[in-house]
């Protein structure tokens, strides 16, 4: 239960004489590589070899921008799978390192008009969901076809998407609230990933947010939620974690199911950038701050 720094990677500021500003990283190929998005050039991916500590190749998409990427399946980064998903406001596509250097795009589905999607995440079975600036969710079971379902939510930008271990629940992070969505129909028989659900078959999203009195008490009027995450537990959902400013926020999923939306809130000693549950130990969280990492025991959060 201690944090050990295994290595320090060189700072990446340029590649082949071009300035690089990294804004997304995805572990790749048995976690021996990392795929990196460049804020300065949305038409490329850089493949970074972790043992070598350097960029070893550049993937190109010709004129297709890349807003976000994810593995073909949950935990796909732990395998030797060479294909990933990508998304931008007009298309969803696959990227393959084995394609020629001029264009690493494999399959693609392009829309006639922008749908403003800039987030993508895959399920354990290989379906995927996209979301973005207009607050819409699109569910797909494969590339190249129309989305199985379009869910228009509250119109606020979706900053982050999580899918539960059983692929049943989605957790969306918006600036001022979280949304918990059951992706199955009212009978619990079909999933929005696999079948088009009629409006009267869909479940209503659950909104999670702080009480007005707590927002005032902790002076969080201007703070936005960091990426909310599930406890990665194979036996079901236990907790949801996020943060606002210097405060870590925890909801208990079993309480939510009973209609109780109480939460635990814990002040840290610095701005929280990100937070995760420690894998295999749902009672521990890892909190990332600008200059340090910390392990926190949930039992000590009141």
């Amino acid at each position: 239960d201690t944090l050990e720094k295994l290595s320090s990677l060189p700072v990446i500021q340029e590649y082949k004489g071009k300035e690089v500003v990294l804004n997304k990283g995805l572990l790749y190929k048995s976690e021996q590589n990392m795929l990196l998005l460049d804020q300065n050039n949305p038409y490329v991916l850089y493949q970074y070899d972790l043992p070598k500590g350097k960029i070893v190749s550049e993937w190109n998409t010709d004129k297709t921008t890349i807003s976000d990427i994810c593995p073909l399946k949950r935990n796909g980064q732990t395998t030797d799978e060479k294909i990933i998903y990508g998304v931008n406001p007009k298309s969803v596509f696959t990227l393959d390192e084995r394609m020629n250097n001029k264009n690493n795009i494999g399959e693609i589905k392009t829309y006639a008009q922008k749908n403003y999607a800039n987030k993508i995440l895959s399920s354990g079975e290989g379906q995927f969901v996209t979301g973005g600036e207009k607050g819409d969710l699109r569910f797909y079971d494969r590339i190249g076809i129309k989305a199985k379902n379009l869910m228009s939510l509250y119109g606020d930008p979706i900053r982050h998407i999580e899918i539960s271990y059983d692929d049943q629940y989605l957790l969306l992070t918006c600036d001022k609230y979280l949304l918990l969505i059951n992706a199955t129909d009212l009978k619990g028989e079909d999933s929005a990933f696999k079948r088009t659900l009629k409006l009267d078959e869909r479940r209503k999203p659950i909104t999670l947010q702080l009480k007005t009195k707590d927002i005032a008490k902790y002076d969080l009027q201007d703070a936005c939620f960091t990426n909310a995450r599930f406890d990665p537990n194979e036996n079901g959902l236990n907790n949801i974690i996020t943060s606002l400013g210097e405060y870590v926020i925890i909801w208990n999923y079993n309480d939510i199911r009973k209609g109780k939306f109480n939460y635990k809130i814990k002040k840290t000693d610095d701005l929280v950038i990100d937070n995760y549950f420690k894998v295999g130990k749902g009672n521990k969280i890892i909190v990332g701050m600008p200059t340090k990492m910390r392990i926190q025991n949930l039992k000590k959060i009141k």
Side-chain angles (χ1 to χ4, degrees), residues 251-297:
W251 276 274
N252 181 278
Y253 174 70
N254 290 323
D255 287 345
I256 294 172
R257 290 184 62 184
K258 298 173 184 176
K260 301 176 182 179
F261 302 102
N262 296 326
Y263 47 82
K264 295 179 180 180
I265 184 166
K266 173 71 174 181
K267 189 178 188 302
T268 66
D269 56 4
D270 204 344
L271 178 70
V272 179
I273 295 174
D274 211 344
N275 29 237
Y276 293 82
F277 287 100
K278 191 173 181 184
V279 177
K281 294 190 176 182
N283 63 333
K284 307 267 187 179
I285 59 174
I286 299 175
V287 181
M289 291 170 274
T291 61
K292 57 192 170 187
M293 302 281 286
R294 174 171 293 169
I295 291 179
Q296 175 74 49
N297 192 321

Side-chain angles (χ1 to χ4, degrees), residues 197-235:
L197 304 181
K198 298 177 182 179
L199 291 179
D200 60 2
E201 293 181 298
R202 299 179 182 179
R203 298 174 187 262
K204 185 179 179 180
I206 296 173
T207 303
L208 302 176
Q209 54 192 143
L210 264 60
K211 298 173 183 176
T212 303
K213 64 178 183 180
D214 285 337
I215 293 175
K217 176 181 178 180
Y218 299 112
D219 193 22
L220 296 172
Q221 293 88 343
D222 298 326
C224 294
F225 280 112
T226 60
N227 296 342
R229 305 185 192 280
F230 287 125
D231 181 354
N233 190 328
E234 297 182 29
N235 299 320

Side-chain angles (χ1 to χ4, degrees), residues 159-160 172-175 177-178 223-229 241-245 247-249 271-275 288:
R159 303 302 187 190
H160 182 72
L172 310 182
T173 305
C174 298
D175 288 337
Y177 59 88
L178 311 180
C224 294
F225 280 112
T226 60
N227 296 342
R229 305 185 192 280
I241 185 173
T242 184
S243 62
L244 280 168
Y247 295 87
V248 173
I249 319 294
L271 178 70
V272 179
I273 295 174
D274 211 344
N275 29 237

Side-chain angles (χ1 to χ4, degrees), residues 57-271:
S57 68
E58 178 181 331
W59 301 17
N60 293 279
T61 63
D62 195 13
K63 297 180 180 180
T64 301
T65 61
I66 311 171
S67 299
D68 196 15
I69 52 178
C70 74
L72 281 190
K73 293 183 179 181
R74 180 188 300 110
N75 297 327
Q77 70 273 10
T78 63
T79 73
D80 281 332
E81 176 60 64
K82 296 178 174 59
I83 302 174
I84 63 168
Y85 286 129
V87 68
N88 66 36
K90 285 201 68 174
S91 57
V92 289
F93 46 89
T94 58
L95 292 158
D96 189 340
E97 71 166 313
R98 296 166 296 187
M99 306 292 285
N100 65 69
N101 289 332
K102 292 183 179 180
N103 193 344
N104 288 92
I105 290 182
E107 298 179 271
I108 187 169
K109 168 67 176 177
T110 301
Y111 289 89
Q113 297 180 335
K114 283 186 177 181
N115 60 30
Y116 298 95
N118 58 11
K119 302 296 178 186
I120 188 168
L121 190 66
S122 55
S123 70
E125 295 184 6
Q127 300 99 355
F128 61 96
V129 61
T130 67
E133 291 297 316
K134 296 294 185 180
D136 294 335
L137 278 181
R138 286 176 170 81
F139 295 78
Y140 298 83
D141 64 352
R142 62 187 184 277
I143 280 284
I145 64 169
K146 185 179 178 180
K148 287 289 183 183
N149 288 278
L150 166 62
M151 292 186 181
S152 296
L153 301 170
Y154 305 136
D156 296 311
I158 296 170
R159 303 302 187 190
H160 182 72
I161 304 173
E162 285 276 305
I163 301 176
S164 63
Y165 196 90
D166 60 4
D167 294 339
Q168 183 175 350
Y169 291 90
L170 277 72
L171 179 61
L172 310 182
T173 305
C174 298
D175 288 337
K176 300 301 180 181
Y177 59 88
L178 311 180
L179 287 177
L180 182 64
I181 297 175
N182 189 330
T184 62
D185 64 5
L186 291 174
K187 296 180 180 179
E189 297 174 350
D190 291 306
S191 166
F193 286 110
K194 299 179 179 180
R195 179 176 72 81
T196 301
L197 304 181
K198 298 177 182 179
L199 291 179
D200 60 2
E201 293 181 298
R202 299 179 182 179
R203 298 174 187 262
K204 185 179 179 180
I206 296 173
T207 303
L208 302 176
Q209 54 192 143
L210 264 60
K211 298 173 183 176
T212 303
K213 64 178 183 180
D214 285 337
I215 293 175
K217 176 181 178 180
Y218 299 112
D219 193 22
L220 296 172
Q221 293 88 343
D222 298 326
C224 294
F225 280 112
T226 60
N227 296 342
R229 305 185 192 280
F230 287 125
D231 181 354
N233 190 328
E234 297 182 29
N235 299 320
L237 303 178
N238 289 329
N239 294 296
I240 291 171
I241 185 173
T242 184
S243 62
L244 280 168
E246 298 178 352
Y247 295 87
V248 173
I249 319 294
I250 306 286
W251 276 274
N252 181 278
Y253 174 70
N254 290 323
D255 287 345
I256 294 172
R257 290 184 62 184
K258 298 173 184 176
K260 301 176 182 179
F261 302 102
N262 296 326
Y263 47 82
K264 295 179 180 180
I265 184 166
K266 173 71 174 181
K267 189 178 188 302
T268 66
D269 56 4
D270 204 344
L271 178 70

